[in-house]
Amino acid sequence: MGVRRIRERAHETGSMVKAISIEDRLLTEHHEGLQRKTTFETGLIIAQLGVKVDTILRFVPTPEDEDDGKPGVLDMEWLLQHANQVCNMLPGGIGIVGCYACATGAKLQPLEAKLQQVLVGLAKRLPATVSERQTAL
């Protein structure tokens, strides 16, 4: 069981460095599953929050908006609503550390700016203890 350190980031204070880690198996299974079944998916990244390392536990796909959602379109408001609902259900020590999008290469590049906006929105809407961590993303 290998653990991969994905990214280190400086906390807002500038002095603390955080790392995000994930088991290779979790990353591989999720990536392969997405390649097999879907051409477009957005979701949240859930992790156990640690002092120096946040450990990714799960990728939580955002469900389709049945009311007015368009398939294959990133709906920032819907993703933020999903994040609020998920955050309210998580136990202490577990939190949302990011979001993801899976799409074809041509479709993925324009989504990057929108995902940055989603991260900013997450930081503003989530409880203070979680949003402090989000500002470092």
Side-chain angles (χ1 to χ4, degrees):
M1 169 174 33
V3 175
R4 180 180 300 180
R5 179 169 277 179
I6 292 185
R7 179 177 162 198
E8 291 187 357
R9 62 186 193 262
H11 193 55
E12 192 167 90
T13 62
S15 60
M16 188 167 114
V17 174
K18 292 280 299 190
I20 296 176
S21 67
I22 186 170
E23 286 185 26
D24 286 334
R25 176 191 55 81
L26 178 64
L27 185 60
T28 302
E29 286 176 3
H30 183 73
H31 184 257
E32 288 173 355
L34 285 173
Q35 287 181 325
R36 279 193 306 269
K37 70 176 184 172
T38 187
T39 58
F40 182 80
E41 180 178 289
T42 61
L44 305 169
I45 303 171
I46 308 298
Q48 180 175 2
L49 307 174
V51 175
K52 293 184 179 181
V53 178
D54 294 342
T55 304
I56 295 176
L57 302 173
R58 186 156 183 93
F59 297 92
V60 180
T62 298
E64 295 286 329
D65 184 355
E66 295 177 3
D67 294 333
D68 54 58
K70 300 172 190 103
V73 175
L74 175 61
D75 183 345
M76 291 189 310
E77 191 60 35
W78 183 249
L79 188 58
L80 291 171
Q81 286 180 25
H82 180 230
N84 283 329
Q85 292 173 357
V86 169
C87 186
N88 289 333
M89 293 186 283
L90 294 175
I94 307 294
I96 299 169
V97 295
C99 59
Y100 69 91
C102 176
T104 60
K107 196 171 196 174
L108 191 57
Q109 192 168 10
L111 290 177
E112 290 179 16
K114 285 187 176 184
L115 286 174
Q116 287 293 332
Q117 292 173 350
V118 169
L119 288 173
V120 170
L122 285 173
K124 289 179 182 176
R125 290 188 180 193
L126 294 178
T129 55
V130 176
S131 66
E132 288 170 4
R133 294 177 179 276
Q134 302 298 346
T135 58
L137 290 174

